[in-house]
Amino acid sequence: TKPSFTKRIDKVQNWDYDETNDWFRCPNNRRVTFRGYTSRTDPITGYRRDFKRYESEDCSDCPIKAFCTKAEGNR
């Protein structure tokens, strides 16, 4: 893992993770909790991928949101 990757705050792989309770801690020290499962099917190959979906408790007044996500609401 390159240092340039490990310093990026937009990468969830660099966040703290609580395996017991299944949530992440974002760089602004907010909890990002598990919300449900979703799946996507590749239109060309037809391969289906399953994902776990997480959402932050509140990103509305976060000072580093622009560096973390492009979403209009919560990450």
Side-chain angles (χ1 to χ4, degrees):
T1 307
K2 293 183 178 183
S4 60
F5 180 86
T6 58
K7 292 179 182 178
R8 291 185 58 177
I9 64 170
D10 62 328
K11 300 298 182 189
V12 73
Q13 296 91 333
N14 298 329
W15 297 1
D16 292 329
Y17 178 65
D18 181 346
E19 189 174 352
T20 306
N21 299 311
D22 196 14
W23 56 266
F24 290 91
R25 176 79 57 194
C26 82
N28 196 30
N29 206 28
R30 296 191 180 166
R31 194 176 286 191
V32 182
T33 57
F34 173 71
R35 297 292 187 204
Y37 292 96
T38 187
S39 64
R40 295 182 197 151
T41 303
D42 186 277
I44 298 171
T45 64
Y47 182 75
R48 181 180 169 192
R49 297 186 304 160
D50 296 320
F51 298 92
K52 291 177 82 173
R53 188 172 49 87
Y54 293 83
E55 186 177 331
S56 176
E57 51 192 25
D58 184 26
C59 294
S60 60
D61 61 343
C62 180
I64 59 173
K65 181 180 177 185
F67 301 105
C68 181
T69 183
K70 295 177 185 175
E72 291 184 19
N74 294 335
R75 177 172 179 152

